[in-house]
Amino acid sequence: MLVEAGLGVIECCAAERRLATEDWLLSAHPSPGRARAEWQEQGLTLLPLGALFSAVRIPGRLVNAVAETADPGEVDAFLDEALRGGPVICDPHGPRYYALVPAGMPRTWRAAVDGWHTQDVDCLGRGTYLGVPRLDLVDFPERGAASYWSVPMPPSTTLCPPLSVARLIAAGAHRMTEDTEMI
């Protein structure tokens, strides 16, 4: 016998996956309940890096150079493809992008990170906190400078592949060097 899933069943499953993803992210916080309350009240909570995940901070000018656009929607689509759907948070103040990566990346990529500092790229891990927006904040803000998910956190809690992040940074640095040489 074949039973079709109704819209309510699909919505229920999506809500359960979203709650599981929220729980996973908030489990990085020493007080997950307090972090959830901050999300509800402020739309953002500070999560410690280095246990569940770390982040690579990439300046907007580098991302815009490799994406060949500064349009937020186009940049978001570019990052989604370039980082294989891995989650990215955008802080429009700057702007700066934070690619979420496996927790051990700051230690294992030490040599590459040293070279990235010339591009204002930094690999953030233990001892650092990141402002993480609620999962429903996925659009560039019309007003203000609220952080949002440039590439939303997937329900599978898959992180950005470190090699894809490194390739993005290398391509952006190369593009910026080319642009400088043409001046």
Side-chain angles (χ1 to χ4, degrees):
M1 170 167 38
L2 180 64
V3 178
E4 290 187 35
L7 188 55
V9 172
I10 293 170
E11 289 172 353
C12 177
C13 291
E16 287 176 6
R17 284 192 301 271
R18 180 177 162 163
L19 183 59
T21 303
E22 287 178 0
D23 288 346
W24 182 81
L25 277 169
L26 296 177
S27 71
H29 196 281
S31 176
R34 190 173 105 220
R36 188 177 298 280
E38 290 171 356
W39 258 359
Q40 296 307 316
E41 294 168 14
Q42 302 162 14
L44 186 85
T45 191
L46 292 176
L47 295 180
L49 299 177
L52 291 180
F53 57 90
S54 291
V56 177
R57 183 181 58 220
I58 309 167
R61 60 182 165 67
L62 189 141
V63 173
N64 294 346
V66 72
E68 298 181 347
T69 182
D71 177 85
E74 291 177 22
V75 170
D76 294 349
F78 171 81
L79 287 171
D80 188 19
E81 184 176 331
L83 299 178
R84 299 180 171 186
V88 179
I89 296 170
C90 177
D91 174 2
H93 181 73
R96 289 180 283 268
Y97 293 87
Y98 296 86
L100 301 190
V101 296
M105 188 174 165
R107 289 186 310 278
T108 59
W109 288 67
R110 179 84 43 218
V113 171
D114 290 342
W116 293 342
H117 284 295
T118 61
Q119 298 297 329
D120 294 327
V121 172
D122 201 3
C123 202
L124 309 171
R126 289 207 182 274
T128 308
Y129 285 77
L130 178 65
V132 177
R134 274 191 335 248
L135 293 181
D136 63 333
L137 300 177
V138 296
D139 295 313
F140 184 82
E142 294 297 320
R143 296 185 314 262
S147 292
Y148 73 99
W149 289 95
S150 175
V151 180
M153 183 76 185
S156 61
T157 63
T158 302
L159 299 171
C160 293
L163 189 55
S164 296
V165 175
R167 287 179 177 151
L168 172 82
I169 293 165
H174 179 72
R175 178 66 53 108
M176 290 177 68
T177 302
E178 282 181 343
D179 290 348
T180 303
E181 289 173 354
M182 294 176 73
I183 294 177

